[in-house]
Amino acid sequence: MSLIKLITFDVHGDDRGSLIALEQYQNIPFDIKRIYYIFDTKPGVARGFHAHKNLQQVAVCLKGQCRIMLDDGQRTDDVLLDSPAKGLLIDGLKWREMHDFSEDCVLMVLASEVYDESDYIRDYDDFKRAVKNENSPVK
Ligand code: TYD
């Protein structure tokens, strides 16, 4: 099964333009405790390169495009986010990387927890160990 879980948002459009509403437990499957956005990304830059121990996120590319790669320790999948009407749900223990930002990209991320550096796994070998422990926890 692909690691890419996309949520398609309803677009309320009329002759004035378009509007999308994001609501916790409606189209976002968690309490939204934090919102951040990434923009003005310099050419050729990739970001992320970490996993989270306990965090759910939905990434929405509000403008432009970028590619997000997810890795669960067994497989990797990637997706081009290029529409404000699509959200990528990132849950569970997944290494994530963001690549190929267009110059105009504005990537908004909704998160289920406030920022907590201790929730990060920033080393890929530590991530692989965490996956192993999750699959065969010490009794
Ligand atoms: P960083 O984790 O390097 O971003 P990315 O995962 O996109 O590569 O975060 C960049 C800086 O922003 C770092 O100093 C931590 C800070 N930060 C916050 O203060 N709050 C947040 O919610 C996030 C995501 C980052």
Side-chain angles (χ1 to χ4, degrees):
M1 214 178 66
S2 171
L3 304 177
I4 304 304
K5 300 177 189 170
L6 285 174
I7 305 170
T8 303
F9 305 129
D10 287 338
V11 182
H12 304 279
D14 55 32
D15 53 11
R16 296 169 299 170
S18 304
L19 183 153
I20 290 173
L22 305 180
E23 291 181 274
Q24 59 192 29
Y25 299 118
Q26 297 298 323
N27 49 8
I28 302 298
F30 51 76
D31 276 321
I32 302 165
K33 294 207 182 138
R34 174 168 54 116
I35 301 172
Y36 63 93
Y37 33 97
I38 293 171
F39 58 102
D40 279 352
T41 306
K42 304 296 175 243
V45 163
R47 304 192 59 130
F49 299 90
H50 62 256
H52 286 279
K53 296 172 198 161
N54 174 37
L55 186 68
Q56 299 180 74
Q57 294 185 303
V58 171
V60 186
C61 193
L62 297 181
K63 197 168 171 56
Q65 61 179 50
C66 71
R67 190 167 59 81
I68 300 191
M69 191 280 286
L70 298 180
D71 176 349
D72 70 354
Q74 323 279 348
R75 61 177 289 164
T76 64
D77 284 304
D78 69 332
V79 62
L80 185 72
L81 284 186
D82 60 357
S83 163
K86 268 193 309 198
L88 175 66
L89 175 64
I90 309 174
D91 56 3
L93 191 56
K94 305 228 170 57
W95 187 261
R96 78 280 317 267
E97 298 177 10
M98 294 164 271
H99 296 271
D100 303 337
F101 287 88
S102 63
E103 213 176 302
D104 60 346
C105 181
V106 180
L107 180 67
M108 177 181 72
V109 182
L110 312 182
S112 64
E113 302 296 335
V114 296
Y115 179 72
D116 174 9
E117 185 57 39
S118 71
D119 187 60
Y120 279 72
I121 303 173
R122 292 193 182 271
D123 178 86
Y124 191 75
D125 290 335
D126 289 345
F127 163 69
K128 292 286 276 189
R129 273 190 284 275
V131 169
K132 223 168 155 185
N133 284 340
E134 197 180 57
N135 292 337
S136 53
V138 181
K139 300 258 157 43

